[in-house]
Amino acid sequence: MTTRKRNVTVKQIPSGSDLRRKETFLKEVEASLAHRRPCLVLDCSTLQELDQATIHLMLHCLEEALKRNGDVKLAALPAAAEAAFTAAGLGRLFELYATAAEAAASFHQAPVMSEPTAVTAPAAQLA
């Protein structure tokens, strides 16, 4: 069996409320998501805060990636933004990594499979 490494795109999320930069960012991200099973890492290292506009931006990226059977992972989220990340429930949607390199490498690791649990039928059904 041969495995092919997937291309991983790393994009730094623009900080602040500059709408023009965020629109440019979205166009760049959508171009990188144009192929099947895209892998995207959003580098959050420059974020000062995690505001509603940035959360919306993250969710839009995730939605577009999922439409193509891909995934988005977050990297380098500052401690100041973690409270908003947790409060928004984003921990259930995104995997979070310390660095962009770790997040990118995670796309190339085999998924961890849990051991199947044995299902036992009641004794009455076995007879």
Side-chain angles (χ1 to χ4, degrees):
M1 178 164 109
T2 60
T3 56
R4 185 177 152 253
K5 282 200 171 194
R6 294 162 62 185
N7 290 332
V8 179
T9 303
V10 178
K11 293 285 184 183
Q12 189 164 44
I13 291 186
S15 61
S17 59
D18 184 355
L19 186 59
R20 178 168 282 145
R21 268 196 334 203
K22 289 187 178 182
E23 287 175 356
T24 302
F25 173 80
L26 276 176
K27 288 178 184 175
E28 291 173 2
V29 166
E30 287 176 357
S32 68
L33 297 176
H35 58 280
R36 187 176 164 273
R37 297 196 61 182
C39 302
L40 178 63
V41 173
L42 298 178
D43 182 349
C44 304
S45 61
T46 62
L47 289 180
Q48 306 299 319
E49 64 180 345
L50 192 59
D51 59 4
Q52 290 296 321
T54 304
I55 291 171
H56 178 73
L57 193 67
M58 291 174 170
L59 292 173
H60 180 76
C61 292
L62 180 62
E63 179 183 16
E64 293 303 312
L66 290 175
K67 285 179 185 177
R68 295 161 182 88
N69 201 24
D71 199 9
V72 176
K73 299 182 183 191
L74 304 182
L77 186 68
E82 271 195 64
F85 180 83
T86 304
L90 297 176
R92 292 177 282 160
L93 299 174
F94 294 98
E95 292 179 35
L96 187 59
Y97 293 86
T99 66
E102 288 176 11
S106 72
F107 281 108
H108 301 297
Q109 297 171 352
V112 177
M113 301 295 287
S114 61
E115 289 293 319
T117 55
V119 178
T120 56
Q125 289 180 353
L126 294 175

